[in-house]
Structures are given as C-alpha cells and as structure tokens.
Amino acid sequence: MIVAVHQPNYIPWIGFFDKMDQADIFVILDTVQHSRTSVTHRNSIKCPSGSLLLSVPLQNKGQAINQLMINEDHNWNDNHWKSIAYNYRRSKYWELYEDDFKQIYQSNWKHLVDLNMSIIQLVINILKIETNVVKESTFPVDMGVGSSRIVNICKHIGATTYLSGIGAKAYNDEQQFEQNDINLVYQEFIHPYYNQQWGPFMSHLSVLDLIFNQGPQSIDIIRNYRNSTKKSEVYNG
C-alpha cells in the first residue's frame, strides 16, 4: 500500500494531484503548524501580464492549519472569483466547470481548511482520482513530529511504501523508514506542458489553469506526461 501526505493547500498546483493519483491513501496534514511562507492560503493563476497571486486573508496565523480562521472583513471570495472568471472565461472548458467553482466562491467559509478541502474534493471529482483521502485530524492519537510523524502515519494505516515529495529528501530520516519496513520513494514530478492562454507557457500555477484549458483531458496529461520519455514535448491533446 502506497501512502502520501500533504498539507491542504489553497487551489493546489498540479504536482499535488500527481502525488495523490499515485497513492492508495492520501493523508491531509491538517493538524500541522501553518507556515507564513506556505501556499496553504494562497496560490497563483495565469493572467495576460504573467501570474496573479490569490491570497485568502486570515484572522490568525502560526497555528495548526485546521484552526486557521478566514478574515471575513475582506470581500476575498468575490474578488478571487472575479479574477478567476476574468482570466479563464475565454478558456475552452470554462463553461463546463464554471458553476461548480462559482458555488464554492459564493459560499461563506469560516475555516480555511474547509474551503481548501471543498476545492480539493471538487478537483478530485473532475480528475476522477480514486485515491482514498483522509485527514490526519481524524486519527485517534497524536502522530508526533518530523519523520516520526510520517512513519507513525504509515504504521497506523498499514503502509508498505511512503511516497514523499522530493523537497523532503533533505530532512527525511531514511533510517526510521527502513527500521519500520517502510519503503521510502520520492515523487519524480516534472511539470507537464499543455496548451494555455496568455502567451508563453508558464508552469507551477494552480491546477485551475490546467482544468480550464484542458478539461477532461487533464488527468490524462498528468498521467501520460508522468510516464512519457518525451518530457519536453507540448501536450496537444
């Protein structure tokens, strides 16, 4: 059984869902400390001048992610939706997904994690990813910190393999995984190319960019590019 973990980011990038698609169980780390430099509450979409950062205003920072409250004094949801609509309304698959996303942005959200999970679940449905997604906060015991936390999560679930992001290679305690008979592997993600609006291709945007431009083909682009040896080719599906 392959397990992967990730924080519940706002309108996550493609790599988030690539990792999820390769796992049997994907654990949402909603009880970890929020980092001020993280993308848990912000991410970028594409616009005519380049990228546009959309950031959800928070009442409190430096706490566990599932305790973060959205600052309702700001009209952020209406502003975010207007930005998304303005920049993607001419994309090929805008009308196919417009209503589903619009419903999320017209809702009132108090906790960031609930907003993020609503968007993540919608994207899972669009991409037809069948991975089982669970939140760490549903586990009956504290999983600890650092590598011990991940090892304990894997043991709790019964994982044989842990799929880690490549950035964690600098601090993963590989010996802990080995001692607990957990195979540690790293996500080899190379960003796919696809047809995109607004000039030259730009990578590392929210998955919204892929979905609105490529629609039902989005998951095939992720999977085909993952398995292809022709990494430099633009996908023209």
Side-chain angles (χ1 to χ4, degrees):
M1 179 193 295
I2 301 174
V3 168
V5 305
H6 210 290
Q7 297 179 13
N9 292 342
Y10 177 61
I11 53 174
W13 76 308
I14 297 170
F16 179 98
F17 295 99
D18 172 73
K19 184 196 284 187
M20 179 187 293
D21 188 51
Q22 296 181 67
D24 297 301
I25 299 180
F26 190 84
V27 179
I28 297 291
L29 295 179
D30 60 332
T31 62
V32 298
Q33 194 84 352
H34 172 253
S35 170
R36 296 176 185 271
T37 59
S38 75
V39 292
T40 310
H41 68 290
R42 59 189 176 188
N43 225 314
S44 297
I45 61 173
K46 195 174 183 188
C47 63
S49 60
S51 65
L52 175 65
L53 182 66
L54 301 180
S55 183
V56 180
L58 300 175
Q59 290 185 25
N60 54 334
K61 298 181 180 180
Q63 298 186 12
I65 291 173
N66 61 357
Q67 296 176 3
L68 296 174
M69 303 288 292
I70 296 174
N71 189 337
E72 298 178 82
D73 292 338
H74 298 264
N75 193 25
W76 69 270
N77 45 348
D78 185 51
N79 292 333
H80 282 206
W81 178 245
K82 285 180 178 178
S83 294
I84 292 169
Y86 178 80
N87 288 291
Y88 289 107
R89 64 189 177 190
R90 294 184 180 86
S91 60
K92 186 174 181 179
Y93 293 97
W94 168 254
E95 293 183 358
L96 185 60
Y97 305 118
E98 175 187 3
D99 290 343
D100 289 333
F101 282 102
K102 185 177 183 179
Q103 183 176 351
I104 290 176
Y105 281 95
Q106 287 184 334
S107 301
N108 293 321
W109 302 97
K110 294 186 180 298
H111 290 89
L112 179 69
V113 69
D114 294 333
L115 164 68
N116 289 3
M117 289 304 301
S118 178
I119 294 172
I120 288 168
Q121 187 58 57
L122 174 56
V123 174
I124 290 172
N125 295 342
I126 291 171
L127 297 178
K128 294 182 170 60
I129 292 176
E130 298 181 352
T131 301
N132 184 19
V133 178
V134 297
K135 292 193 289 187
E136 186 188 14
S137 58
T138 64
F139 297 158
V141 295
D142 187 340
M143 293 294 156
V145 297
S147 288
S148 295
R149 181 188 215 126
I150 304 302
V151 168
N152 288 336
I153 287 173
C154 289
K155 289 169 65 178
H156 178 73
I157 294 173
T160 55
T161 299
Y162 173 60
L163 176 61
S164 174
I166 194 67
K169 196 167 188 177
Y171 52 81
N172 277 336
D173 186 342
E174 298 185 4
Q175 188 174 8
Q176 279 198 56
F177 289 92
E178 184 177 351
Q179 289 172 345
N180 287 277
D181 296 320
I182 300 168
N183 184 30
L184 175 61
V185 297
Y186 291 94
Q187 179 189 20
E188 296 181 1
F189 180 73
I190 302 176
H191 202 291
Y193 288 79
Y194 53 89
N195 291 331
Q196 196 182 60
Q197 293 189 106
W198 313 124
F201 182 81
M202 180 176 292
S203 69
H204 294 75
L205 300 169
S206 164
V207 71
L208 299 185
D209 188 78
L210 173 65
I211 288 172
F212 288 133
N213 283 302
Q214 296 297 329
Q217 301 173 85
S218 296
I219 190 61
D220 291 330
I221 292 174
I222 294 172
R223 290 172 178 167
N224 291 345
Y225 203 86
R226 181 197 306 156
N227 298 321
S228 175
T229 57
K230 300 177 181 180
K231 300 296 187 185
S232 61
E233 292 187 2
V234 175
Y235 188 94
N236 291 311

